[in-house]
Amino acid sequence: MREIKKLLICARGEIALRILRSAKEMGMTCVVAHSSADETSLPVKWADEAVNLGAPHAKKSYLNQDLIIQAALDAGADAIHPGYGFLSENADFARKVVEANLIFVGPQHELIAQMGNKAQAIETAKKAGVPVVPGSDGLVQTIEAALAAANDVGYPILIKAAAGGGGRGIRVAYNADELQAQIPQSQQEALAAFGDAGVYLERYIARARHIEVQILGDGDNAVHLFERDCSLQRRRQKIWEEAPAQILSEETRQKLLESAVKLAKKVKYKSAGTLEYLYDVDTQEFFFIEMNTRIQVEHTITEEICGVDLIKAMLLIAQGHALPYQQNDIQMRGHAIEIRINAENPDNNFMPSPGTLTEVVWPLGAGVRIDSMAYSGYTIPPYYDSLIGKLIIWAEDRPSALARLHRALDEIKVAGVHTTLPFFKSLLSVNDVQKNDFHTVWVEQWMNHCSSASQKEAS
């Protein structure tokens, strides 16, 4: 067991601030490693110490493994927390951190390599008896193998990048001709985005809900912290998440949660992690699709319904402590919703809108939480993800949470750049959202419908 007295945070934005807050509450000295573009961010301002890694380009700062490790050593840090994104699921980085006699706040590098690769994760799930989406038996190496697998599974079929994330490297083929044309395109996209051209195939589920289970493990034991519904997506990227997933029956929920814990125990998972599933609304089946071996953007809504600080749990486990919770200790209460506020222009195809925030007014009141690095006068740099912050709502039930979200959106003000706030106000008013009747491609269908209606009115 090794104590973390000084923690280096190699993340940026709201997650860097989130980690800093929990670590400080645990008595740790916090060092924030940052690029020159983030010099004026709140995590840097509020850190005990800050290390400027250099140029804004991620390859020269947030992705420079050796530079970050040396910064941690120079600062006298005991551990590195990678947050999400950048190096958080890089097995080589996790290995190098440990080899430098530092603690990596996350799972072992072997587990990141095993579960971070989607094709390997699916094979591991199969061995654990966890249901997976019918598809190819591992990676498809040739067009002929892909055609044979698709013939067995049936069309339409998904082509997915094995090392993918954020919706990249995913395409849908409706017949053999489309499959032959799109396999090379997916491979090229995967290679460019992840440095790995491997792809595999899965059955395409037309009306799918994206359900994920939050787990904690200490290598010997594992528990779940219930599930989240992340089905409201645009271009396969989550924009609105809820916990719990009210689409599930209690029987299905229990089977889903048990399967997640079973898989976590099978691989002796150590840290916080998320197992992602597709739920087929028509057949009421669920299928494991991948595991995220890091903290998730939407971890906040799990914290709200369970009363658990997931960052603190990660830090305790990283120091060698046993799980701070048994399964019976974790109870679910109420309903939580998170929306991701981005500096993007919804009226211009969601183009990024970097710039200076001239005014920021966050909503307050019971059941309202803001995770953000933004403040009046802060300049959003153009080099990174456009996330400004997250609005998190908790209430006794879903209707009350929706009403509270409506109130909070009326109070919030972010001026100086375009944001997605108007988009969420429109989305909240839609009957299907109010009734919880949607799926993973519903947002795009709704947007297309709104666009068609506007064109008809204009003509």
Side-chain angles (χ1 to χ4, degrees):
M1 189 175 294
R2 291 176 60 190
E3 183 180 5
I4 300 176
K5 294 182 179 179
K6 196 171 193 179
L7 176 69
L8 183 126
I9 302 167
C10 62
R12 65 173 303 277
E14 64 87 16
I15 191 60
L17 189 59
R18 170 73 189 85
I19 296 165
L20 184 146
R21 284 170 165 156
S22 287
K24 281 195 168 187
E25 289 178 14
M26 297 174 74
M28 297 177 186
T29 299
C30 293
V31 184
V32 170
H34 63 93
S35 75
S36 57
D38 285 325
E39 186 77 45
T40 60
S41 69
L42 280 185
V44 174
K45 287 176 175 288
W46 291 355
D48 298 298
E49 300 174 26
V51 178
N52 191 329
L53 297 172
H57 197 292
K59 286 185 178 179
K60 296 181 179 180
S61 52
Y62 294 110
L63 291 174
N64 190 324
Q65 300 182 27
D66 294 336
L67 182 64
I68 291 168
I69 292 171
Q70 190 58 53
L73 294 172
D74 291 344
D78 307 297
I80 294 178
H81 197 310
Y84 56 67
F86 296 127
L87 296 171
S88 61
E89 291 183 286
N90 188 301
D92 287 338
F93 178 64
R95 174 182 53 80
K96 288 180 179 179
V97 169
V98 175
E99 288 176 350
N101 200 32
L102 296 165
I103 298 170
F104 179 78
V105 184
Q108 309 93 310
H109 69 89
E110 297 93 344
L111 270 177
I112 295 175
Q114 178 184 0
M115 300 306 290
N117 182 289
K118 294 181 182 181
Q120 289 185 36
I122 286 172
E123 289 305 307
T124 302
K126 286 180 182 178
K127 292 175 183 177
V130 175
V132 301
V133 183
S136 59
D137 187 13
L139 300 179
V140 288
Q141 306 291 351
T142 64
I143 295 292
E144 291 73 22
L147 290 169
N151 190 54
D152 290 337
V153 176
Y155 292 95
I157 196 162
L158 277 177
I159 309 163
K160 302 185 75 173
R168 290 174 294 180
I170 299 178
R171 294 172 181 267
V172 182
Y174 289 88
N175 53 52
D177 289 340
E178 289 188 4
L179 183 62
Q180 290 187 75
Q182 292 193 42
I183 284 279
Q185 295 172 12
S186 289
Q187 290 174 326
Q188 291 171 10
E189 185 178 348
L191 182 63
F194 312 111
D196 183 341
V199 297
Y200 64 100
L201 306 181
E202 278 184 357
R203 186 179 98 191
Y204 177 64
I205 301 172
R207 293 206 320 136
R209 296 289 280 247
H210 187 129
I211 312 295
E212 58 187 35
V213 179
Q214 178 70 58
I215 60 99
L216 286 172
D218 61 14
D220 296 316
N221 193 20
V223 297
H224 70 75
L225 292 93
F226 297 96
E227 80 286 350
R228 302 183 284 255
D229 189 335
C230 306
S231 302
L232 286 172
Q233 304 178 8
R234 191 182 73 84
R235 295 180 179 173
R236 298 190 178 92
Q237 293 189 322
K238 304 164 191 172
I239 58 174
W240 168 314
E241 302 98 355
E242 303 190 30
Q246 293 197 342
I247 190 87
L248 303 177
S249 68
E250 191 55 37
E251 179 182 4
T252 300
R253 171 178 288 113
Q254 290 307 316
K255 289 180 179 178
L256 177 72
L257 298 175
E258 288 168 6
S259 77
V261 172
K262 183 178 181 181
L263 183 52
K265 288 181 176 179
K266 172 75 174 178
V267 300
K268 299 184 181 301
Y269 194 79
K270 186 176 181 180
S271 193
T274 298
L275 289 88
E276 303 203 358
Y277 295 79
L278 287 182
Y279 175 73
D280 191 324
V281 175
D282 297 318
T283 67
Q284 298 183 14
E285 298 172 280
F286 64 84
F287 305 101
F288 169 81
I289 53 171
E290 64 178 292
M291 183 173 191
N292 290 295
T293 56
R294 54 172 168 80
I295 196 69
Q296 294 276 92
V297 177
E298 60 274 17
H299 75 277
T300 57
I301 51 176
T302 293
E303 293 182 329
E304 293 302 310
I305 66 167
C306 293
V308 171
D309 186 323
L310 289 168
I311 299 296
K312 285 185 178 179
M314 289 182 77
L315 290 167
L316 285 171
I317 293 167
Q319 293 176 90
H321 292 275
L323 270 178
Y325 310 98
Q326 297 300 313
Q327 192 63 69
N328 289 339
D329 298 327
I330 302 168
Q331 301 296 318
M332 179 173 63
R333 177 174 171 267
H335 194 86
I337 301 172
E338 174 187 280
I339 62 169
R340 305 187 186 192
I341 305 166
N342 286 69
E344 297 173 356
N345 186 354
D347 294 327
N348 187 22
N349 198 30
F350 291 86
M351 286 293 291
S353 179
T356 300
L357 300 173
T358 56
E359 185 179 12
V360 177
V361 179
W362 296 124
L364 300 171
V368 178
R369 167 179 168 181
I370 292 289
D371 278 24
S372 175
M373 76 299 188
Y375 58 91
S376 298
Y378 173 67
T379 299
I380 300 169
Y383 312 104
Y384 314 111
D385 183 271
S386 61
L387 183 68
I388 296 175
K390 304 178 305 194
L391 171 60
I392 304 106
I393 300 296
W394 179 91
E396 292 79 7
D397 51 40
R398 188 172 189 268
S400 300
L402 291 170
R404 184 164 285 168
L405 175 59
H406 187 280
R407 186 268 292 175
L409 285 172
D410 281 344
E411 293 182 10
I412 199 168
K413 184 173 183 180
V414 180
V417 300
H418 293 285
T419 76
T420 50
L421 285 168
F423 173 79
F424 284 116
K425 289 181 179 179
S426 297
L427 192 61
L428 180 58
S429 68
V430 180
N431 194 38
D432 284 352
V433 174
Q434 292 284 329
K435 294 191 303 181
N436 195 29
D437 184 15
F438 46 79
H439 46 78
T440 54
V441 294
W442 179 91
V443 169
E444 284 154 324
Q445 292 174 355
W446 169 69
M447 290 172 62
N448 290 336
H449 173 76
C450 292
S451 178
S452 298
S454 297
Q455 289 174 5
K456 286 182 180 178
E457 287 181 8
S459 61

